Amino acid sequence: MHVCVLGAGIVGLATAWRLNRQGFQVSVIDRAAPGAGASGGNGAQLSYSYVQPLADPSIWKQLPKLLLSPSSPLKLRPQLDPLQWRWALTFLAACNARTSHESTASLLALAARSRAAFEAMRADVAPDCDFSATGKLVLYASAASLAGAQRQLELQRTMGSQQRLVTADECIAIEPALASYRARIAGAVHTPSECAADCLKVCTELLRALRARGVRFMLDTEITGFDARDGRVAAVHTAAGDVEADAFVMALGTASHRLGRQLGAYLPVYPLKGYSITVDVDPTPGAAPQVSVTDSVRKVVFARIGSRLRVAGMAELVGHDASIPAQRIEALAEATRAVFPRAGRLEALQPWTGMRPATPTGVPIVGRLAGAPSNMLFNTGHGALGFTLAFGSAERVAEALD
Protein backbone atom coordinates (compact mmCIF):
# COMPACT_ATOMS: atom_id res chain seq x y z
CA MET A 1 0.00 0.00 0.00
CA HIS A 2 1.38 3.36 -1.07
CA VAL A 3 0.84 6.31 1.30
CA CYS A 4 1.73 9.86 0.29
CA VAL A 5 2.53 12.22 3.17
CA LEU A 6 1.95 15.88 2.39
CA GLY A 7 4.39 17.93 4.46
CA ALA A 8 8.00 17.45 5.63
CA GLY A 9 7.93 19.25 8.96
CA ILE A 10 8.43 17.23 12.11
CA VAL A 11 4.81 15.99 12.03
CA GLY A 12 5.03 14.80 8.42
CA LEU A 13 8.43 13.20 8.88
CA ALA A 14 7.37 11.44 12.08
CA THR A 15 4.38 10.10 10.15
CA ALA A 16 6.59 8.93 7.28
CA TRP A 17 8.94 7.19 9.75
CA ARG A 18 6.10 5.36 11.48
CA LEU A 19 4.45 4.29 8.22
CA ASN A 20 7.75 3.12 6.77
CA ARG A 21 8.38 1.06 9.90
CA GLN A 22 4.95 -0.45 9.54
CA GLY A 23 5.77 -1.66 6.02
CA PHE A 24 3.97 0.90 3.87
CA GLN A 25 5.47 2.31 0.69
CA VAL A 26 5.86 6.02 1.50
CA SER A 27 6.33 9.24 -0.45
CA VAL A 28 6.73 12.71 1.06
CA ILE A 29 5.98 15.99 -0.72
CA ASP A 30 6.86 19.48 0.51
CA ARG A 31 7.36 22.87 -1.08
CA ALA A 32 10.57 23.43 0.92
CA ALA A 33 13.29 21.52 2.76
CA PRO A 34 12.47 19.32 5.79
CA GLY A 35 11.90 21.42 8.89
CA ALA A 36 11.91 24.69 6.95
CA GLY A 37 8.57 25.80 8.42
CA ALA A 38 7.44 25.92 12.04
CA SER A 39 9.77 23.04 13.00
CA GLY A 40 13.08 24.73 12.20
CA GLY A 41 13.60 27.15 15.07
CA ASN A 42 10.97 26.10 17.59
CA GLY A 43 11.35 26.16 21.39
CA ALA A 44 13.14 22.77 21.39
CA GLN A 45 11.30 21.61 24.53
CA LEU A 46 9.66 18.20 24.63
CA SER A 47 6.90 18.93 27.16
CA TYR A 48 5.42 15.51 27.68
CA SER A 49 4.07 16.12 31.20
CA TYR A 50 3.24 19.84 31.33
CA VAL A 51 0.84 20.68 28.52
CA GLN A 52 -1.46 23.43 29.82
CA PRO A 53 -3.58 24.49 26.81
CA LEU A 54 -3.39 28.10 25.61
CA ALA A 55 -7.21 28.16 25.79
CA ASP A 56 -7.53 28.44 29.57
CA PRO A 57 -9.95 30.33 31.86
CA SER A 58 -7.07 32.54 33.07
CA ILE A 59 -6.96 34.15 29.61
CA TRP A 60 -10.04 36.27 30.42
CA LYS A 61 -8.29 38.21 33.21
CA GLN A 62 -5.11 38.57 31.16
CA LEU A 63 -6.84 39.54 27.91
CA PRO A 64 -6.85 43.38 28.24
CA LYS A 65 -3.14 43.48 29.08
CA LEU A 66 -2.25 40.85 26.51
CA LEU A 67 -4.02 42.70 23.70
CA LEU A 68 -3.30 46.32 24.63
CA SER A 69 0.22 46.34 26.05
CA PRO A 70 2.91 47.20 23.44
CA SER A 71 5.22 44.64 25.05
CA SER A 72 2.59 41.90 25.23
CA PRO A 73 3.69 38.42 24.11
CA LEU A 74 0.25 38.06 22.49
CA LYS A 75 -0.62 40.23 19.51
CA LEU A 76 -3.78 40.38 17.40
CA ARG A 77 -3.91 42.27 14.12
CA PRO A 78 -7.55 42.06 12.90
CA GLN A 79 -7.82 41.25 9.21
CA LEU A 80 -10.53 40.72 6.63
CA ASP A 81 -10.13 37.00 7.10
CA PRO A 82 -13.18 34.94 8.14
CA LEU A 83 -10.91 32.18 9.44
CA GLN A 84 -9.13 34.56 11.83
CA TRP A 85 -12.39 35.80 13.34
CA ARG A 86 -13.98 32.36 13.51
CA TRP A 87 -10.83 30.91 15.08
CA ALA A 88 -10.52 33.72 17.64
CA LEU A 89 -14.17 33.47 18.72
CA THR A 90 -13.93 29.67 19.03
CA PHE A 91 -10.72 30.09 21.02
CA LEU A 92 -12.40 32.46 23.49
CA ALA A 93 -15.35 30.07 23.80
CA ALA A 94 -12.85 27.32 24.69
CA CYS A 95 -11.38 29.39 27.55
CA ASN A 96 -13.40 27.65 30.23
CA ALA A 97 -12.55 25.08 32.88
CA ARG A 98 -14.36 22.15 31.31
CA THR A 99 -12.79 22.51 27.86
CA SER A 100 -9.37 23.17 29.38
CA HIS A 101 -9.61 19.99 31.48
CA GLU A 102 -10.72 17.91 28.49
CA SER A 103 -7.95 19.35 26.32
CA THR A 104 -5.36 18.69 29.04
CA ALA A 105 -6.43 15.04 29.24
CA SER A 106 -6.28 14.62 25.45
CA LEU A 107 -2.88 16.28 25.17
CA LEU A 108 -1.33 14.33 28.05
CA ALA A 109 -2.54 11.02 26.61
CA LEU A 110 -1.12 11.89 23.20
CA ALA A 111 2.12 13.18 24.75
CA ALA A 112 2.64 9.92 26.63
CA ARG A 113 2.36 7.98 23.38
CA SER A 114 4.68 10.46 21.73
CA ARG A 115 7.37 10.03 24.37
CA ALA A 116 7.45 6.26 23.81
CA ALA A 117 7.40 6.65 20.02
CA PHE A 118 10.15 9.29 20.06
CA GLU A 119 12.33 6.96 22.13
CA ALA A 120 11.63 4.18 19.64
CA MET A 121 12.72 6.51 16.83
CA ARG A 122 15.91 7.42 18.70
CA ALA A 123 16.73 3.73 19.14
CA ASP A 124 16.00 3.10 15.46
CA VAL A 125 17.62 6.12 13.79
CA ALA A 126 20.15 7.26 16.44
CA PRO A 127 19.84 10.91 15.39
CA ASP A 128 22.51 13.44 16.28
CA CYS A 129 20.09 16.04 17.68
CA ASP A 130 21.50 17.44 20.96
CA PHE A 131 18.98 15.46 23.00
CA SER A 132 18.89 15.98 26.76
CA ALA A 133 16.60 14.82 29.58
CA THR A 134 17.40 17.34 32.31
CA GLY A 135 13.82 18.30 33.25
CA LYS A 136 11.94 21.60 33.15
CA LEU A 137 11.11 24.48 35.47
CA VAL A 138 8.08 26.71 34.85
CA LEU A 139 8.65 29.93 36.78
CA TYR A 140 5.90 32.01 38.41
CA ALA A 141 6.31 35.54 39.75
CA SER A 142 3.40 35.83 42.20
CA ALA A 143 1.54 33.79 44.78
CA ALA A 144 -1.66 34.10 42.74
CA SER A 145 -0.11 32.71 39.56
CA LEU A 146 1.57 29.97 41.57
CA ALA A 147 -1.81 28.98 43.03
CA GLY A 148 -3.20 28.69 39.50
CA ALA A 149 -0.24 26.52 38.55
CA GLN A 150 -0.91 24.28 41.52
CA ARG A 151 -4.48 23.69 40.33
CA GLN A 152 -3.16 22.65 36.92
CA LEU A 153 -0.52 20.49 38.58
CA GLU A 154 -3.15 18.68 40.66
CA LEU A 155 -5.27 18.13 37.56
CA GLN A 156 -2.32 16.71 35.64
CA ARG A 157 -1.34 14.53 38.60
CA THR A 158 -4.70 12.75 38.36
CA MET A 159 -3.78 12.02 34.75
CA GLY A 160 -0.40 10.49 35.58
CA SER A 161 2.03 13.42 35.43
CA GLN A 162 4.83 13.49 37.98
CA GLN A 163 5.77 17.04 38.98
CA ARG A 164 5.91 19.22 42.09
CA LEU A 165 5.89 22.82 43.27
CA VAL A 166 9.28 24.12 44.35
CA THR A 167 10.41 27.27 46.15
CA ALA A 168 12.70 29.91 44.69
CA ASP A 169 15.64 28.47 46.62
CA GLU A 170 14.87 24.99 45.30
CA CYS A 171 14.81 26.45 41.77
CA ILE A 172 18.37 27.71 42.26
CA ALA A 173 19.45 24.32 43.59
CA ILE A 174 17.96 22.65 40.51
CA GLU A 175 19.29 25.25 38.06
CA PRO A 176 22.15 27.39 39.47
CA ALA A 177 22.09 29.69 36.40
CA LEU A 178 18.87 31.20 37.81
CA ALA A 179 20.66 32.63 40.87
CA SER A 180 20.57 36.28 39.74
CA TYR A 181 16.84 35.99 38.96
CA ARG A 182 15.96 34.70 42.41
CA ALA A 183 14.06 37.86 43.52
CA ARG A 184 11.62 37.51 40.60
CA ILE A 185 10.65 33.91 41.40
CA ALA A 186 7.73 33.17 43.74
CA GLY A 187 7.99 29.47 42.97
CA ALA A 188 7.94 27.03 40.08
CA VAL A 189 6.62 23.74 38.80
CA HIS A 190 9.43 21.22 38.41
CA THR A 191 8.98 18.30 36.01
CA PRO A 192 12.14 16.15 36.20
CA SER A 193 11.24 13.95 33.23
CA GLU A 194 11.02 16.63 30.52
CA CYS A 195 13.42 16.64 27.58
CA ALA A 196 14.82 18.89 24.87
CA ALA A 197 16.36 18.45 21.42
CA ASP A 198 17.08 20.33 18.21
CA CYS A 199 13.98 19.72 16.10
CA LEU A 200 15.66 20.78 12.85
CA LYS A 201 18.43 18.25 13.42
CA VAL A 202 15.80 15.57 14.04
CA CYS A 203 14.16 16.47 10.72
CA THR A 204 17.50 16.32 8.89
CA GLU A 205 18.38 12.95 10.42
CA LEU A 206 14.95 11.51 9.59
CA LEU A 207 15.37 12.63 5.97
CA ARG A 208 18.72 10.83 5.81
CA ALA A 209 17.42 7.63 7.40
CA LEU A 210 14.16 7.49 5.42
CA ARG A 211 15.86 8.09 2.09
CA ALA A 212 18.22 5.20 2.87
CA ARG A 213 15.15 3.02 3.50
CA GLY A 214 13.52 3.79 0.17
CA VAL A 215 11.13 6.61 1.08
CA ARG A 216 10.67 8.90 -1.92
CA PHE A 217 11.01 12.64 -1.26
CA MET A 218 9.72 15.36 -3.57
CA LEU A 219 11.11 18.54 -2.00
CA ASP A 220 10.82 22.11 -3.32
CA THR A 221 7.58 20.89 -4.90
CA GLU A 222 4.41 22.95 -4.53
CA ILE A 223 1.12 21.12 -3.94
CA THR A 224 -1.58 22.79 -6.04
CA GLY A 225 -4.67 20.61 -5.62
CA PHE A 226 -6.22 17.17 -5.84
CA ASP A 227 -7.83 14.75 -8.23
CA ALA A 228 -10.77 13.74 -6.04
CA ARG A 229 -13.59 11.50 -7.29
CA ASP A 230 -16.06 9.00 -5.92
CA GLY A 231 -15.29 10.01 -2.36
CA ARG A 232 -11.55 9.34 -2.65
CA VAL A 233 -8.39 11.15 -3.68
CA ALA A 234 -6.86 9.55 -6.75
CA ALA A 235 -3.85 11.85 -6.96
CA VAL A 236 -2.36 15.07 -5.66
CA HIS A 237 -1.50 17.77 -8.19
CA THR A 238 1.98 19.24 -7.86
CA ALA A 239 4.19 21.56 -9.87
CA ALA A 240 6.17 18.46 -10.88
CA GLY A 241 3.10 16.50 -12.00
CA ASP A 242 0.45 14.30 -10.41
CA VAL A 243 1.33 11.82 -7.66
CA GLU A 244 -0.98 8.84 -7.23
CA ALA A 245 -1.28 6.82 -4.03
CA ASP A 246 -3.67 4.54 -2.17
CA ALA A 247 -3.93 6.93 0.78
CA PHE A 248 -2.76 10.41 1.71
CA VAL A 249 -1.87 12.15 4.97
CA MET A 250 -2.16 15.94 5.14
CA ALA A 251 0.50 17.26 7.53
CA LEU A 252 0.85 20.70 5.99
CA GLY A 253 0.68 22.87 9.07
CA THR A 254 -0.99 26.21 8.45
CA ALA A 255 -1.58 25.37 4.77
CA SER A 256 -3.91 22.56 5.84
CA HIS A 257 -6.93 24.86 6.11
CA ARG A 258 -6.65 26.13 2.54
CA LEU A 259 -6.03 22.74 0.95
CA GLY A 260 -8.56 21.02 3.20
CA ARG A 261 -11.27 23.33 1.85
CA GLN A 262 -10.57 21.97 -1.64
CA LEU A 263 -11.62 18.57 -0.30
CA GLY A 264 -14.74 19.80 1.48
CA ALA A 265 -13.19 19.68 4.96
CA TYR A 266 -13.12 22.55 7.45
CA LEU A 267 -9.93 22.52 9.49
CA PRO A 268 -9.85 25.23 12.18
CA VAL A 269 -6.10 25.68 11.89
CA TYR A 270 -4.69 29.21 12.12
CA PRO A 271 -1.06 30.39 12.32
CA LEU A 272 0.20 31.48 15.73
CA LYS A 273 3.35 33.33 14.76
CA GLY A 274 6.27 32.81 17.10
CA TYR A 275 9.90 33.89 17.25
CA SER A 276 13.18 32.51 18.49
CA ILE A 277 16.84 33.33 18.85
CA THR A 278 19.73 30.90 19.30
CA VAL A 279 22.73 31.89 21.39
CA ASP A 280 26.14 30.25 21.71
CA VAL A 281 26.50 29.64 25.44
CA ASP A 282 29.28 30.49 27.85
CA PRO A 283 30.71 27.09 28.92
CA THR A 284 31.46 28.34 32.45
CA PRO A 285 29.48 26.17 34.94
CA GLY A 286 26.39 28.00 36.15
CA ALA A 287 26.44 30.61 33.37
CA ALA A 288 23.88 29.04 31.03
CA PRO A 289 21.06 26.69 32.04
CA GLN A 290 21.15 22.93 31.62
CA VAL A 291 17.49 22.54 32.68
CA SER A 292 14.74 23.79 30.35
CA VAL A 293 13.03 26.87 31.75
CA THR A 294 9.74 28.58 30.96
CA ASP A 295 9.12 32.10 32.29
CA SER A 296 5.33 32.27 32.61
CA VAL A 297 5.27 36.08 32.90
CA ARG A 298 7.31 36.74 29.78
CA LYS A 299 5.83 33.72 27.96
CA VAL A 300 9.37 32.78 26.91
CA VAL A 301 11.01 29.36 26.93
CA PHE A 302 14.72 28.58 27.28
CA ALA A 303 16.11 25.22 26.15
CA ARG A 304 19.71 24.01 26.09
CA ILE A 305 20.59 22.26 22.82
CA GLY A 306 24.21 21.21 22.92
CA SER A 307 26.43 24.30 23.13
CA ARG A 308 23.54 26.62 22.24
CA LEU A 309 20.59 28.14 24.06
CA ARG A 310 17.28 28.34 22.22
CA VAL A 311 15.06 31.21 23.40
CA ALA A 312 11.54 31.25 21.96
CA GLY A 313 8.16 32.76 22.58
CA MET A 314 5.25 35.03 21.66
CA ALA A 315 2.03 34.27 19.83
CA GLU A 316 0.74 36.61 17.15
CA LEU A 317 -2.48 36.29 15.19
CA VAL A 318 -1.33 38.27 12.17
CA GLY A 319 -1.99 35.90 9.27
CA HIS A 320 1.00 34.62 7.32
CA ASP A 321 3.21 37.66 7.78
CA ALA A 322 6.73 36.18 7.87
CA SER A 323 8.58 39.41 8.67
CA ILE A 324 10.79 39.56 11.77
CA PRO A 325 10.38 42.91 13.57
CA ALA A 326 13.53 43.98 15.37
CA GLN A 327 11.61 44.76 18.57
CA ARG A 328 10.42 41.15 18.88
CA ILE A 329 13.95 39.82 18.62
CA GLU A 330 15.15 42.45 21.09
CA ALA A 331 12.40 41.35 23.51
CA LEU A 332 13.82 37.80 23.44
CA ALA A 333 17.34 39.13 23.90
CA GLU A 334 16.18 41.26 26.82
CA ALA A 335 14.46 38.25 28.40
CA THR A 336 17.72 36.34 28.11
CA ARG A 337 19.69 39.17 29.72
CA ALA A 338 17.15 39.36 32.56
CA VAL A 339 16.83 35.64 33.35
CA PHE A 340 20.30 34.36 32.38
CA PRO A 341 22.63 37.39 32.21
CA ARG A 342 25.76 35.24 31.93
CA ALA A 343 24.40 32.75 29.38
CA GLY A 344 26.44 33.98 26.44
CA ARG A 345 27.29 36.91 24.22
CA LEU A 346 24.11 38.22 22.59
CA GLU A 347 25.69 39.25 19.32
CA ALA A 348 24.89 36.55 16.74
CA LEU A 349 21.25 35.83 17.69
CA GLN A 350 20.17 33.81 14.62
CA PRO A 351 16.62 35.33 14.57
CA TRP A 352 13.82 33.08 13.34
CA THR A 353 10.05 33.15 12.95
CA GLY A 354 7.59 30.34 12.33
CA MET A 355 3.85 29.85 11.94
CA ARG A 356 2.60 27.34 14.51
CA PRO A 357 -0.53 25.61 13.14
CA ALA A 358 -2.99 25.87 16.03
CA THR A 359 -6.55 24.75 16.67
CA PRO A 360 -8.66 26.84 19.09
CA THR A 361 -8.46 24.21 21.85
CA GLY A 362 -4.82 23.23 21.23
CA VAL A 363 -5.78 19.62 20.47
CA PRO A 364 -4.52 18.55 17.01
CA ILE A 365 -6.69 17.12 14.25
CA VAL A 366 -5.63 13.51 13.69
CA GLY A 367 -7.31 10.94 11.44
CA ARG A 368 -10.25 11.07 9.05
CA LEU A 369 -12.80 13.88 8.91
CA ALA A 370 -16.48 13.71 8.04
CA GLY A 371 -17.08 15.10 4.56
CA ALA A 372 -13.50 14.60 3.42
CA PRO A 373 -12.38 11.81 1.05
CA SER A 374 -12.15 8.48 2.87
CA ASN A 375 -8.49 7.90 1.95
CA MET A 376 -7.32 11.33 3.11
CA LEU A 377 -6.16 11.45 6.73
CA PHE A 378 -5.16 14.60 8.59
CA ASN A 379 -2.33 15.24 11.03
CA THR A 380 -2.24 18.94 11.76
CA GLY A 381 -3.04 21.67 14.27
CA HIS A 382 -0.43 20.82 16.92
CA GLY A 383 0.26 24.47 17.79
CA ALA A 384 3.26 25.05 20.05
CA LEU A 385 3.40 21.31 20.87
CA GLY A 386 4.24 20.05 17.40
CA PHE A 387 7.62 18.61 18.38
CA THR A 388 6.19 17.12 21.57
CA LEU A 389 3.17 15.45 19.95
CA ALA A 390 4.47 14.58 16.48
CA PHE A 391 5.39 10.96 17.08
CA GLY A 392 2.25 10.19 19.09
CA SER A 393 -0.06 11.57 16.41
CA ALA A 394 1.94 9.64 13.79
CA GLU A 395 1.10 6.44 15.68
CA ARG A 396 -2.61 7.29 15.56
CA VAL A 397 -2.44 7.89 11.81
CA ALA A 398 -0.69 4.54 11.32
CA GLU A 399 -3.35 2.77 13.37
CA ALA A 400 -6.07 4.34 11.27
CA LEU A 401 -4.40 3.12 8.09
CA ASP A 402 -3.50 -0.35 9.31
Side-chain angles (χ1 to χ4, degrees):
M1 182 178 181
H2 179 203
V3 183
C4 183
V5 177
L6 312 181
I10 188 60
V11 173
L13 290 169
T15 303
W17 170 79
R18 186 66 185 83
L19 295 176
N20 173 260
R21 258 192 115 191
Q22 200 157 317
F24 292 105
Q25 177 188 350
V26 181
S27 299
V28 180
I29 307 174
D30 198 287
R31 66 181 179 180
S39 303
N42 65 18
Q45 293 185 353
L46 291 162
S47 298
Y48 296 122
S49 298
Y50 197 86
V51 297
Q52 184 170 11
L54 182 62
D56 183 82
S58 64
I59 286 290
W60 290 105
K61 289 183 179 180
Q62 303 176 49
L63 203 56
K65 181 179 179 181
L66 288 173
L67 293 179
L68 300 177
S69 172
S71 60
S72 168
L74 176 64
K75 179 178 180 181
L76 171 63
R77 185 192 302 155
Q79 299 177 328
L80 296 175
D81 180 0
L83 174 62
Q84 185 193 55
W85 287 93
R86 185 173 178 179
W87 190 96
L89 290 173
T90 307
F91 168 77
L92 289 175
C95 292
N96 62 78
R98 178 179 175 181
T99 302
S100 180
H101 290 185
E102 291 173 350
S103 298
T104 297
S106 296
L107 293 171
L108 283 174
L110 186 55
R113 293 198 66 175
S114 202
R115 182 196 291 271
F118 184 80
E119 289 305 312
M121 182 279 295
R122 287 185 63 224
D124 178 39
V125 177
D128 176 10
C129 62
D130 296 319
F131 176 82
S132 64
T134 53
K136 182 170 75 171
L137 287 164
V138 181
L139 310 180
Y140 293 90
S142 68
S145 62
L146 195 60
Q150 183 167 11
R151 288 191 292 271
Q152 182 70 12
L153 182 150
E154 295 298 339
L155 172 66
Q156 295 185 157
R157 182 174 290 153
T158 66
M159 301 172 185
S161 293
Q162 299 295 320
Q163 47 206 192
R164 65 188 181 101
L165 287 183
V166 295
T167 66
D169 288 336
E170 288 175 309
C171 284
I172 309 307
I174 294 166
E175 180 45 75
L178 284 168
S180 64
Y181 201 59
R182 163 98 180 52
R184 302 288 300 274
I185 303 172
V189 173
H190 181 220
T191 311
S193 61
E194 301 291 54
C195 308
D198 187 326
C199 186
L200 182 58
K201 286 188 175 183
V202 173
C203 290
T204 302
E205 293 284 87
L206 281 171
L207 171 67
R208 173 191 58 78
L210 291 172
R211 270 184 166 159
R213 299 174 190 189
V215 173
R216 177 194 181 196
F217 281 87
M218 296 176 64
L219 303 177
D220 301 311
T221 303
E222 189 78 32
I223 297 167
T224 58
F226 305 95
D227 178 5
R229 43 190 147 143
D230 301 323
R232 294 175 62 81
V233 175
V236 59
H237 301 315
T238 79
D242 288 359
V243 178
E244 297 180 349
D246 300 300
F248 300 82
V249 180
M250 186 179 293
L252 289 169
T254 57
S256 299
H257 172 78
R258 175 177 56 84
L259 288 169
R261 288 182 63 182
Q262 295 187 25
L263 298 172
Y266 170 67
L267 289 93
V269 176
Y270 191 81
L272 289 186
K273 184 180 182 182
Y275 301 90
S276 77
I277 58 175
T278 307
V279 179
D280 291 332
V281 301
D282 184 333
T284 304
Q290 297 288 341
V291 174
S292 291
V293 173
T294 297
D295 188 327
S296 65
V297 173
R298 300 172 186 272
K299 302 292 191 291
V300 172
V301 304
F302 303 86
R304 183 71 171 264
I305 43 176
S307 61
R308 298 163 296 147
L309 181 67
R310 175 68 48 76
V311 186
M314 305 173 195
E316 299 182 349
L317 284 79
V318 295
H320 287 84
D321 176 8
S323 63
I324 304 180
Q327 63 268 30
R328 290 314 227 179
I329 299 305
E330 176 54 30
L332 293 176
E334 176 55 33
T336 308
R337 284 190 286 266
V339 183
F340 299 110
R342 298 169 50 224
R345 299 177 64 184
L346 301 182
E347 295 174 352
L349 298 179
Q350 302 177 44
W352 174 90
T353 189
M355 307 294 171
R356 310 180 194 102
T359 65
T361 63
V363 178
I365 300 165
V366 183
R368 294 181 173 85
L369 287 180
S374 60
N375 66 334
M376 172 64 75
L377 286 81
F378 299 89
N379 196 3
T380 186
H382 298 67
L385 292 171
F387 192 18
T388 296
L389 302 177
F391 288 85
S393 62
E395 293 232 321
R396 289 188 177 176
V397 168
E399 288 172 356
L401 282 171
D402 192 14

